[in-house]
Amino acid sequence: MSRFILKRLWQAFLAALGALTILFFVQRLTGDPTLLLVPEGATAEDIATLRASLGFDQPLYIQYLQYIKGLGTFDLGMSYVQGVPVWDILMSRLPYTLWLTAGAMLLSIGAGLPIGVLMALKRGTILERLLQGVVFTGQSMPTFFSGILMILLFAVHLQWLPSSGSDSVTSMLMPSVALGLLTLATFARVARTAVLDELGKDYVRTARAKGVPMKRIIWRHLARNSAIPVITVAALEISHLLAGAVIVETLFAWPGLGQVAVQAIEARDFPIVQAVVLFGAVASVACNLIADLLYGLVDPRIRHTGGAQ
Amino acid sequence: MNASSETHTPVLEVRGLGVRLRDIAAVDDIDLTLYAGEALALVGESGCGKSLSSLAIMGLLPHVASLSEGTSILLQGQQLAGLDEDSYNRLRGNRMSMIFQEPFTSLNPLMPVGAQITEVLTVHGVPEAEARARALDMLNKVGIPDPAVRFNQFPFELSGGICQRVMIALALVGNPTLLIADEPTTALDVTIQAQILDLMRDLMRERDTALLLITHDMGVVAETADRVAVMYAGRIVELADARTLFTSPRHPYTRLLLESIPGISTPPKTVLRTIAGTVPDIRDWAEGCRFHPRCPFASDDCRKAAPPLEDLPLDGRSHKVACRHVNKTELL
């Protein structure tokens, strides 16, 4: 098992390094950040001085090697614009994004899975059609659109919820729902398919022939057997949620990583962008690793072929 | 079957069993009676409705299928036709149980086999500890080596034969009065087949369980069954005790079917008999006697109306046949 984990960690390291390398060079194609940093009417000499102090006068590969060297000592660099260590900025904003993502995940799993299971069990009934409608709506509305609709309804018309900010728990509600809606639909779909697949299998018929009531069949037999696709999707969806946070945080003025990233991209504050992407890469790799480990817990067949040797 | 069992209430008494697949009658007016300790084989080719009949008795019909009106299924006198799911659940695993064809897929892949057997008892109210003890004991009875080790293993760690033994343990642990086995040995190696059949027969005799054996394999029938019902295209065409059926079959279909199987005394290179034509698709079942398109004796009467299943006793033994040309069968 530990060899399996080591192998996965090595793969994760390569994936993160790859993502960072691509980002590093692509960012520098967007232009010279010094020009954005200097005040109006600065002389060519001033610009040259600043450029040299930020290290932009060095060849690209030297800059890259220095950046990697910094990462090796957990130094994410200084923000060009704010002059503060990137690490501090990251840490001050991270909790907000984590709360938001957790809220969205909770909503999408807590509502998405039961909806999917219900759709499978009540196949062909009006209830299924109704739920299908909810799922389709969730799936076909982009976050920025559903978010604006929600602001219009709950903040502007009904004035139940604040339209932006992060002052109270209620201000987390709309961003979480906006972020989680799409994921909810995905979970519902996956759960429905998984349960339908399993319902037709022979072991369900055996359980019925044993006199096991349907409710118990679902909890004791179906749930575990349909867990694998759900775990796979959950791992993928966490990355999607982090990506979606960029839009939602901008929309609701939520002071998380996404908002920082957008501001940093506009200001060509490279170290911050790199740090946020690094975090995203590490997070998604970690989720996939956790998913792999969960597979083994759920399915003994995977435990035997995947890890032990 | 001995004479005294005739006087007892049958374990299973099926009258006028019909199953409709959407609007097609897939099983048509079947009567079956089964006594304690007796093994009745329901024989026929794939698609003749034998599996549907067994699922109908268990209340496990797929949702595209339904019981026809007028069907009566009595389990020790209790009417099963039209029974609700909860009442059925109280009977299944307890008074009636079933073994399926595929031992691997019929077991939950993610549950240790011991837990799957134990569950049969716990859902019927047996305390957990007692249920586990009985399940372990049952694993021992079906001849699985190291039952205590096997108890905690998953189906993928076991062979097909062992899995089918687990299925048998699972079906018999509740001490049912009726056991239905749907092609229990078809998916197994020939050497394992005989072991499994012996095991089933022994356990059944020991417990006086009634066995309804669904199969297409005449070898299995010969080895296991006391009586045989031959099905063709949704109907029973012949019903007799096993010896009589094998020695003097009276329906042309049964006779041709038996002659198409090589026996141990069949000389090498003998050309085996075949039945002209193919098994008809359910949508093409003929009017009248459904075998008439393939029958050498078919007359106009056969094309018009189905012959009833009549008892034509031979040497005092019941022998039911649905054919107008019983006398001619000898000529084949």
Coordinates of all heavy atoms in Angstrom, one line a residue, chain A residues 206-262:
Chain A
T206 N -31.0 -11.8 -5.9 CA -30.7 -12.8 -4.8 C -31.2 -12.2 -3.5 O -31.8 -12.9 -2.7 CB -29.2 -13.1 -4.7 OG1 -28.8 -13.5 -6.0 CG2 -29.0 -14.2 -3.7
A207 N -30.9 -10.9 -3.2 CA -31.3 -10.3 -2.0 C -32.8 -10.3 -1.8 O -33.3 -10.6 -0.8 CB -30.7 -8.9 -1.9
R208 N -33.5 -10.1 -2.9 CA -34.9 -10.1 -2.9 C -35.4 -11.5 -2.6 O -36.4 -11.7 -1.8 CB -35.6 -9.6 -4.2 CG -35.3 -8.1 -4.4 CD -36.1 -7.6 -5.6 NE -37.5 -7.7 -5.5 CZ -38.4 -7.8 -6.5 NH1 -37.9 -7.8 -7.7 NH2 -39.7 -8.0 -6.3
A209 N -34.8 -12.5 -3.2 CA -35.2 -13.9 -3.0 C -34.9 -14.3 -1.5 O -35.4 -15.3 -1.1 CB -34.4 -14.8 -4.0
K210 N -34.0 -13.6 -0.9 CA -33.8 -13.8 0.5 C -34.8 -13.2 1.4 O -34.8 -13.4 2.7 CB -32.4 -13.3 0.9 CG -31.2 -14.1 0.5 CD -29.9 -13.3 0.4 CE -29.5 -12.6 1.6 NZ -28.1 -12.0 1.5
G211 N -35.7 -12.4 0.9 CA -36.7 -11.7 1.7 C -36.2 -10.4 2.2 O -36.7 -9.9 3.2
V212 N -35.1 -9.8 1.7 CA -34.6 -8.5 2.2 C -35.5 -7.4 1.6 O -35.7 -7.3 0.4 CB -33.1 -8.3 1.7 CG1 -32.6 -7.0 2.3 CG2 -32.3 -9.5 2.1
P213 N -36.0 -6.6 2.5 CA -36.9 -5.5 2.0 C -36.0 -4.5 1.2 O -34.8 -4.3 1.4 CB -37.3 -4.8 3.3 CG -37.1 -5.8 4.4 CD -35.9 -6.6 4.0
M214 N -36.7 -3.8 0.2 CA -36.1 -2.9 -0.7 C -35.2 -1.8 0.0 O -34.1 -1.6 -0.4 CB -37.1 -2.2 -1.6 CG -36.6 -1.8 -2.9 SD -35.8 -3.2 -3.8 CE -34.8 -2.3 -4.9
K215 N -35.7 -1.3 1.1 CA -35.0 -0.2 1.7 C -33.6 -0.7 2.2 O -32.6 -0.1 2.1 CB -35.8 0.2 3.0 CG -36.0 1.8 3.0 CD -36.7 2.2 4.2 CE -37.8 3.2 3.9 NZ -38.8 3.2 4.9
R216 N -33.6 -1.9 2.8 CA -32.4 -2.5 3.3 C -31.5 -2.9 2.1 O -30.2 -2.8 2.2 CB -32.7 -3.8 4.1 CG -31.5 -4.3 4.9 CD -31.9 -5.5 5.7 NE -30.7 -6.3 5.9 CZ -30.0 -6.3 7.0 NH1 -30.4 -5.5 8.0 NH2 -29.0 -7.0 7.2
I217 N -32.1 -3.3 1.0 CA -31.2 -3.7 -0.2 C -30.5 -2.4 -0.6 O -29.3 -2.5 -0.9 CB -32.1 -4.2 -1.3 CG1 -32.7 -5.6 -1.0 CG2 -31.3 -4.3 -2.6 CD1 -33.6 -6.2 -2.0
I218 N -31.2 -1.3 -0.6 CA -30.5 0.0 -1.1 C -29.4 0.3 -0.1 O -28.3 0.6 -0.6 CB -31.6 1.1 -1.1 CG1 -32.5 0.8 -2.3 CG2 -30.9 2.4 -1.3 CD1 -33.8 1.7 -2.2
W219 N -29.6 0.3 1.2 CA -28.6 0.7 2.1 C -27.4 -0.3 2.3 O -26.3 0.0 2.3 CB -29.2 1.0 3.5 CG -29.9 2.3 3.5 CD1 -31.2 2.5 3.5 CD2 -29.3 3.6 3.4 NE1 -31.5 3.9 3.5 CE2 -30.3 4.6 3.4 CE3 -28.0 4.1 3.3 CZ2 -30.1 5.9 3.3 CZ3 -27.7 5.4 3.2 CH2 -28.8 6.3 3.3
R220 N -27.8 -1.6 2.3 CA -26.8 -2.6 2.6 C -26.1 -3.2 1.4 O -25.0 -3.6 1.5 CB -27.4 -3.7 3.4 CG -27.9 -3.4 4.8 CD -26.6 -3.0 5.7 NE -25.7 -4.1 5.8 CZ -25.7 -5.1 6.7 NH1 -26.7 -5.0 7.6 NH2 -24.9 -6.0 6.7
H221 N -26.8 -3.1 0.3 CA -26.2 -3.8 -0.9 C -25.9 -2.8 -2.0 O -24.8 -2.7 -2.5 CB -27.1 -4.8 -1.5 CG -27.4 -6.0 -0.5 ND1 -26.6 -7.1 -0.5 CD2 -28.2 -6.2 0.5 CE1 -27.0 -8.0 0.4 NE2 -28.0 -7.4 1.0
L222 N -26.8 -1.9 -2.4 CA -26.7 -1.0 -3.5 C -25.7 0.1 -3.2 O -24.8 0.4 -4.0 CB -28.0 -0.4 -3.9 CG -28.8 -1.1 -4.9 CD1 -30.1 -0.3 -5.2 CD2 -28.0 -1.3 -6.1
A223 N -25.8 0.7 -2.0 CA -25.0 1.9 -1.7 C -23.5 1.7 -1.9 O -22.9 2.4 -2.7 CB -25.3 2.3 -0.3
R224 N -23.0 0.6 -1.4 CA -21.6 0.4 -1.5 C -21.2 0.0 -2.9 O -20.2 0.5 -3.4 CB -21.2 -0.8 -0.6 CG -19.7 -0.8 -0.3 CD -19.4 -1.7 0.9 NE -18.0 -2.0 0.9 CZ -17.4 -2.9 1.7 NH1 -18.2 -3.6 2.5 NH2 -16.1 -3.1 1.7
N225 N -22.0 -0.7 -3.6 CA -21.7 -1.1 -5.0 C -21.8 0.0 -5.9 O -21.1 0.0 -7.0 CB -22.7 -2.2 -5.4 CG -22.2 -3.6 -5.1 OD1 -21.2 -4.1 -5.6 ND2 -22.8 -4.2 -4.1
S226 N -22.6 1.1 -5.6 CA -22.6 2.2 -6.6 C -21.7 3.3 -6.1 O -21.7 4.4 -6.7 CB -24.1 2.7 -6.8 OG -24.8 2.4 -5.6
A227 N -20.9 3.1 -5.1 CA -20.1 4.2 -4.5 C -18.9 4.6 -5.4 O -18.5 5.7 -5.5 CB -19.6 3.8 -3.1
I228 N -18.4 3.6 -6.2 CA -17.2 3.9 -6.9 C -17.3 5.1 -7.9 O -16.6 6.0 -7.9 CB -16.7 2.6 -7.7 CG1 -16.3 1.5 -6.7 CG2 -15.5 2.9 -8.7 CD1 -14.9 1.6 -6.2
P229 N -18.4 5.0 -8.8 CA -18.5 6.2 -9.7 C -18.7 7.5 -8.9 O -18.3 8.5 -9.4 CB -19.7 5.8 -10.6 CG -20.3 4.6 -9.9 CD -19.3 3.9 -9.1
V230 N -19.4 7.4 -7.8 CA -19.7 8.6 -7.1 C -18.4 9.2 -6.5 O -18.2 10.4 -6.5 CB -20.7 8.3 -5.9 CG1 -20.9 9.5 -5.1 CG2 -22.1 7.9 -6.6
I231 N -17.5 8.3 -6.0 CA -16.3 8.8 -5.5 C -15.4 9.4 -6.6 O -14.9 10.5 -6.4 CB -15.5 7.6 -4.8 CG1 -16.2 7.2 -3.6 CG2 -14.1 8.1 -4.5 CD1 -15.6 5.9 -3.0
T232 N -15.4 8.8 -7.7 CA -14.6 9.3 -8.9 C -15.1 10.7 -9.2 O -14.3 11.6 -9.3 CB -14.9 8.4 -10.1 OG1 -14.6 7.1 -9.8 CG2 -13.9 8.8 -11.2
V233 N -16.4 10.9 -9.3 CA -17.0 12.2 -9.6 C -16.7 13.2 -8.5 O -16.4 14.3 -8.8 CB -18.5 12.0 -9.9 CG1 -19.1 13.4 -10.0 CG2 -18.7 11.2 -11.2
A234 N -16.8 12.8 -7.3 CA -16.6 13.7 -6.2 C -15.2 14.3 -6.2 O -15.0 15.5 -6.1 CB -16.8 13.0 -4.8
A235 N -14.2 13.4 -6.6 CA -12.8 13.9 -6.6 C -12.7 14.9 -7.8 O -12.0 16.0 -7.6 CB -11.9 12.7 -6.9
L236 N -13.3 14.6 -8.9 CA -13.2 15.6 -10.0 C -13.9 16.9 -9.7 O -13.5 18.0 -10.1 CB -13.8 14.9 -11.3 CG -13.0 13.8 -11.9 CD1 -13.8 13.2 -13.1 CD2 -11.7 14.3 -12.4
E237 N -15.1 16.7 -9.1 CA -15.9 17.9 -8.8 C -15.3 18.9 -7.9 O -15.5 20.1 -8.0 CB -17.3 17.5 -8.3 CG -18.2 16.9 -9.4 CD -18.4 17.9 -10.5 OE1 -18.7 19.1 -10.3 OE2 -18.3 17.5 -11.7
I238 N -14.4 18.4 -7.0 CA -13.8 19.4 -6.1 C -12.9 20.3 -6.9 O -12.9 21.5 -6.6 CB -13.0 18.6 -5.0 CG1 -14.0 17.9 -4.0 CG2 -12.1 19.6 -4.2 CD1 -13.3 17.2 -2.9
S239 N -12.2 19.8 -7.9 CA -11.4 20.7 -8.7 C -12.3 21.6 -9.5 O -12.0 22.8 -9.6 CB -10.6 19.8 -9.8 OG -10.3 18.6 -9.3
H240 N -13.4 21.1 -10.0 CA -14.4 22.0 -10.7 C -14.9 23.1 -9.7 O -15.0 24.2 -10.2 CB -15.6 21.2 -11.2 CG -15.2 20.4 -12.4 ND1 -16.1 19.4 -12.9 CD2 -14.1 20.3 -13.1 CE1 -15.5 18.8 -13.9 NE2 -14.3 19.4 -14.1
L241 N -15.1 22.7 -8.5 CA -15.6 23.7 -7.5 C -14.6 24.8 -7.3 O -14.9 26.0 -7.3 CB -16.0 23.1 -6.2 CG -17.3 22.2 -6.2 CD1 -17.5 21.6 -4.9 CD2 -18.5 23.1 -6.6
L242 N -13.3 24.4 -7.2 CA -12.2 25.4 -7.0 C -12.2 26.3 -8.2 O -12.0 27.5 -8.1 CB -10.9 24.7 -6.8 CG -10.7 24.0 -5.4 CD1 -9.5 23.2 -5.4 CD2 -10.8 25.1 -4.3
A243 N -12.3 25.7 -9.4 CA -12.3 26.6 -10.6 C -13.5 27.5 -10.6 O -13.4 28.7 -10.9 CB -12.3 25.7 -11.8
G244 N -14.7 26.9 -10.3 CA -15.9 27.7 -10.3 C -15.9 28.8 -9.3 O -16.5 29.9 -9.4
A245 N -15.1 28.6 -8.2 CA -15.0 29.7 -7.1 C -14.4 31.0 -7.7 O -14.8 32.1 -7.2 CB -14.1 29.2 -6.0
V246 N -13.6 30.9 -8.7 CA -13.1 32.1 -9.3 C -14.2 33.0 -9.8 O -14.3 34.2 -9.5 CB -12.2 31.8 -10.5 CG1 -11.7 33.0 -11.3 CG2 -11.0 31.0 -10.1
I247 N -15.2 32.4 -10.4 CA -16.4 33.2 -11.0 C -17.3 33.6 -9.8 O -17.6 34.8 -9.7 CB -17.2 32.4 -12.0 CG1 -16.3 32.1 -13.2 CG2 -18.4 33.0 -12.4 CD1 -16.7 31.0 -14.1
V248 N -17.6 32.7 -9.0 CA -18.6 33.0 -7.9 C -18.0 34.0 -7.0 O -18.7 34.9 -6.5 CB -18.9 31.7 -7.1 CG1 -19.7 32.0 -5.9 CG2 -19.7 30.7 -8.0
E249 N -16.8 33.9 -6.6 CA -16.2 34.9 -5.7 C -16.2 36.3 -6.3 O -16.4 37.3 -5.6 CB -14.8 34.5 -5.3 CG -14.8 33.3 -4.4 CD -13.4 32.8 -4.0 OE1 -12.4 33.4 -4.4 OE2 -13.3 31.7 -3.3
T250 N -15.9 36.4 -7.6 CA -15.9 37.7 -8.2 C -17.4 38.2 -8.2 O -17.6 39.4 -7.9 CB -15.5 37.5 -9.7 OG1 -14.2 36.9 -9.7 CG2 -15.3 38.9 -10.3
L251 N -18.3 37.4 -8.5 CA -19.7 37.8 -8.6 C -20.2 38.3 -7.2 O -20.9 39.3 -7.2 CB -20.5 36.6 -9.0 CG -21.9 36.8 -9.6 CD1 -21.8 37.6 -10.8 CD2 -22.6 35.5 -9.9
F252 N -19.9 37.6 -6.2 CA -20.5 37.9 -4.9 C -19.5 38.7 -4.0 O -19.7 38.8 -2.8 CB -20.9 36.6 -4.1 CG -22.1 35.9 -4.7 CD1 -21.9 34.9 -5.7 CD2 -23.4 36.3 -4.4 CE1 -23.0 34.3 -6.2 CE2 -24.5 35.7 -5.0 CZ -24.3 34.7 -5.9
A253 N -18.4 39.2 -4.6 CA -17.4 39.9 -3.8 C -17.0 39.1 -2.6 O -16.9 39.6 -1.5 CB -17.8 41.3 -3.4
W254 N -16.7 37.8 -2.8 CA -16.3 36.9 -1.7 C -14.8 36.9 -1.7 O -14.1 36.5 -2.7 CB -16.9 35.5 -2.0 CG -16.6 34.5 -0.9 CD1 -15.6 33.6 -0.9 CD2 -17.4 34.3 0.3 NE1 -15.7 32.8 0.2 CE2 -16.8 33.2 1.0 CE3 -18.5 34.9 0.8 CZ2 -17.3 32.8 2.2 CZ3 -19.0 34.4 2.0 CH2 -18.4 33.4 2.7
P255 N -14.2 37.2 -0.5 CA -12.7 37.5 -0.5 C -11.9 36.2 -0.4 O -11.1 36.0 0.4 CB -12.5 38.3 0.8 CG -13.7 37.8 1.7 CD -14.8 37.5 0.8
G256 N -12.1 35.3 -1.4 CA -11.4 34.1 -1.4 C -10.2 34.1 -2.4 O -9.9 35.1 -2.9
L257 N -9.7 32.9 -2.6 CA -8.5 32.7 -3.5 C -8.9 33.1 -4.9 O -8.1 33.7 -5.7 CB -8.1 31.3 -3.5 CG -7.2 30.8 -2.3 CD1 -6.8 29.4 -2.6 CD2 -6.0 31.7 -2.2
G258 N -10.1 32.8 -5.3 CA -10.5 33.1 -6.7 C -10.5 34.6 -7.0 O -10.0 35.0 -8.0
Q259 N -11.0 35.3 -6.0 CA -11.0 36.8 -6.2 C -9.5 37.3 -6.3 O -9.2 38.1 -7.1 CB -11.7 37.4 -5.0 CG -12.2 38.8 -5.3 CD -12.6 39.5 -4.0 OE1 -12.0 39.3 -3.0 NE2 -13.7 40.2 -4.1
V260 N -8.7 36.8 -5.4 CA -7.3 37.2 -5.4 C -6.6 36.9 -6.8 O -5.9 37.7 -7.3 CB -6.5 36.4 -4.3 CG1 -5.0 36.7 -4.4 CG2 -7.0 36.9 -2.9
A261 N -7.0 35.7 -7.3 CA -6.4 35.3 -8.5 C -6.8 36.2 -9.7 O -5.9 36.6 -10.5 CB -6.8 33.8 -8.9
V262 N -8.1 36.6 -9.7 CA -8.5 37.4 -10.8 C -7.8 38.8 -10.7 O -7.3 39.3 -11.7 CB -10.1 37.6 -10.7 CG1 -10.5 38.7 -11.7 CG2 -10.8 36.3 -11.0

